[in-house]
């Protein structure tokens, strides 16, 4: 697994279970209805302040975000925010009798971030408790973002205020678009799986989509459907399509934002995204068309349909006119 994904390496450090047992009493009140109410009030206050100061928060956002000094602050602040995030998972698991025997450092694209192994929560009989453990890190980050927002409003310009701005950014925007979004395989994804009670949602959704392609487009009648019951079909198909579209949207948006300040880095990100989203799957599909024994008596039909589909895509992007505006400064 580590060799297949060299940009997300994990290094276990120690067993925190005894420390968590000794300190769980300090945070247990958080995992109650009163704790939830206090969290809602805090996040609500932060949201109101953000709406009141929206213009100030978003003014020259790209320039401020991608400046060298701010990028350094993000790299410095990120591990501390994620440490509290992971502590939320760990204490949520301990609050209902789970065990946490591993904490360590993970390198996400060579940026260090802590992680904990709270997978013991998957054995909880209560679906709600499993969802709380999965969502505890998200709730911690929203709470931190709200506290940072309150501090940012009342602080004078300087380093502390810049740090608060980045805590807000990490705890709110990145959580909404990445960690808390169920279309990416982070915390929000596991919350959704427990909510709709469909395990291995992402991998089964992709398999179901390609099952439909093979069964109804290529005419392969020997392939088995990964949907165990009829009610799973709409979830699997919908998730496969929406997750694919969202990954494309997110990749392009990030590349465009980065390209405004770091052109060649943005172009490299865009090329990598296009390759991982289209080129590599296309090469895999070509290999399937020409070598799969499932297409032994249908290979001509499959190649014809695939070629027609490819030509339709090329025709759309090559001949359908798209908007091309240019904005220039008037004198």
């Amino acid at each position: 697994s580590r060799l297949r994904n060299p940009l997300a390496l994990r290094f276990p450090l120690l067993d925190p279970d005894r420390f968590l047992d000794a300190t769980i009493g300090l945070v247990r009140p958080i995992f109650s209805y009163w704790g939830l109410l206090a969290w809602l009030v805090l996040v609500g206050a932060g949201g109101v302040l953000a709406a009141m100061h929206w213009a100030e928060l978003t003014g020259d956002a790209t320039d401020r975000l991608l400046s060298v000094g701010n990028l350094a602050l993000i790299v410095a602040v990120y591990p501390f925010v994620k440490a509290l995030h992971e502590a939320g998972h760990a204490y949520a698991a301990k609050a209902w009798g789970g065990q946490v025997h591993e904490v360590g450092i993970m390198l996400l694209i060579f940026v260090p971030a802590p992680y904990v192994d709270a997978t013991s929560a998957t054995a909880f009989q209560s679906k709600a408790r499993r969802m709380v453990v999965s969502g505890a890190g998200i709730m911690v980050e929203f709470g931190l973002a709200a506290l940072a927002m309150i501090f940012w409003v009342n602080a004078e310009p300087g380093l502390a205020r810049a740090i608060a701005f980045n805590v807000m950014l990490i705890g709110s925007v990145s959580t909404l678009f990445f960690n808390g979004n169920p279309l990416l395989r982070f915390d929000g994804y596991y919350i959704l799986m427990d909510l709709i009670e469909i395990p291995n949602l992402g991998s089964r959704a992709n398999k179901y989509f390609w099952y439909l392609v093979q069964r109804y487009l290529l005419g392969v009648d020997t392939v088995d459907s990964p949907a165990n019951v009829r009610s799973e079909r709409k979830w699997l198909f919908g998730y496969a399509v929406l997750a694919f579209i969202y990954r494309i949207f997110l990749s392009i948006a990030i590349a465009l934002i980065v390209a405004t300040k770091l052109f060649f880095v943005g172009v490299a990100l865009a090329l990598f995204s296009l390759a991982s989203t289209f080129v590599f799957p296309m090469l895999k599909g070509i290999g399937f068309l020409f070598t799969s024994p499932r297409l032994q008596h249908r290979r001509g039909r499959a190649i014809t349909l695939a070629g027609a589909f490819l030509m339709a895509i090329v025709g759309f992007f090559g001949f359908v006119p798209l908007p091309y505006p240019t904005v220039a400064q008037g004198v």
Side-chain angles (χ1 to χ4, degrees):
S1 175
R2 293 180 180 180
L3 291 175
R4 287 197 304 267
N5 192 6
L7 298 182
L9 299 176
R10 289 191 174 194
F11 301 95
L13 296 180
L14 52 90
D15 184 343
D17 203 62
R18 293 180 62 183
F19 173 80
L20 295 173
D21 283 333
T23 56
I24 185 63
L26 299 176
V27 299
R28 192 179 296 277
I30 296 175
F31 301 99
S32 64
Y33 290 111
W34 290 109
L36 176 61
L37 179 61
W39 179 82
L40 289 172
V41 170
L42 174 63
V43 173
V48 170
L49 289 175
M52 293 172 60
H53 296 81
W54 186 252
E56 188 179 357
L57 283 171
T58 57
D60 297 325
T62 302
D63 292 336
R64 285 190 296 166
L65 176 64
L66 297 179
S67 66
V68 175
N70 196 70
L71 290 175
L73 277 180
I74 291 176
V75 173
V77 169
Y78 184 84
F80 293 99
V81 173
K82 292 303 175 182
L84 294 175
H85 172 112
E86 296 299 325
H89 289 308
Y91 279 115
K94 294 299 294 184
W96 291 299
Q99 297 181 343
V100 180
H101 289 296
E102 184 177 309
V103 62
I105 297 295
M106 179 167 55
L107 296 181
L108 290 173
I109 318 180
F110 307 113
V111 177
Y115 77 91
V116 298
D117 181 1
T119 53
S120 64
T122 58
F124 291 169
Q125 291 186 355
S126 170
K127 177 171 71 173
R129 291 181 176 181
R130 295 197 303 269
M131 292 170 63
V132 169
V133 174
S134 297
I138 297 172
M139 296 178 71
V140 167
E141 292 201 30
F142 277 140
L144 288 174
L147 289 172
M149 182 71 230
I150 295 171
F151 178 86
W152 185 85
V153 168
N154 294 281
E156 294 292 331
L159 179 60
R161 198 168 190 255
I163 291 174
F165 176 82
N166 285 290
V167 171
M168 281 190 292
L169 184 72
I170 296 170
S172 59
V173 177
S174 70
T175 298
L176 285 173
F177 283 97
F178 293 94
N179 205 41
N181 194 304
L183 297 177
L184 299 176
R185 297 189 191 186
F186 298 120
D187 292 345
Y189 167 77
Y190 295 101
I191 295 173
L192 177 64
M193 279 202 304
D194 275 320
L195 181 64
I196 64 178
E197 298 181 343
I198 299 181
N200 302 319
L201 175 62
S203 59
R204 290 176 62 203
N206 291 334
K207 290 179 181 178
Y208 183 70
F209 180 85
W210 292 114
Y211 157 78
L212 294 176
V213 171
Q214 294 178 61
R215 180 69 179 84
Y216 295 103
L217 288 182
L218 304 182
V220 180
D221 53 9
T222 58
V223 62
D224 296 325
S225 171
N228 297 324
V229 293
R230 187 181 184 88
S231 60
E232 288 184 342
R233 297 176 184 176
K234 59 181 180 181
W235 283 107
L236 296 178
F237 178 77
Y239 187 87
V241 174
L242 291 176
F244 178 75
I245 294 173
Y246 185 73
R247 286 196 301 270
I248 295 175
F249 160 77
L250 200 61
S251 299
I252 294 175
I254 293 173
L256 290 176
I257 292 173
V258 173
T260 59
K261 295 292 289 184
L262 305 169
F263 177 76
F264 293 106
V265 177
V267 170
L269 286 174
L271 292 175
F272 176 79
S273 300
L274 290 173
S276 60
T277 305
F278 296 104
V279 177
F280 296 147
M282 186 181 298
L283 293 176
K284 185 176 180 180
I286 292 173
F288 175 81
L289 287 174
F290 285 94
T291 62
S292 176
R294 292 180 179 176
L295 301 176
Q296 186 172 1
H297 302 294
R298 304 174 181 85
R299 202 174 306 279
R301 172 188 173 181
I303 293 175
T304 301
L305 287 174
F309 179 71
L310 181 61
M311 291 300 296
I313 294 177
V314 172
F316 176 80
F317 286 104
F319 298 101
V320 174
L322 299 175
Y324 187 66
T326 299
V327 178
Q329 181 67 40
V331 178

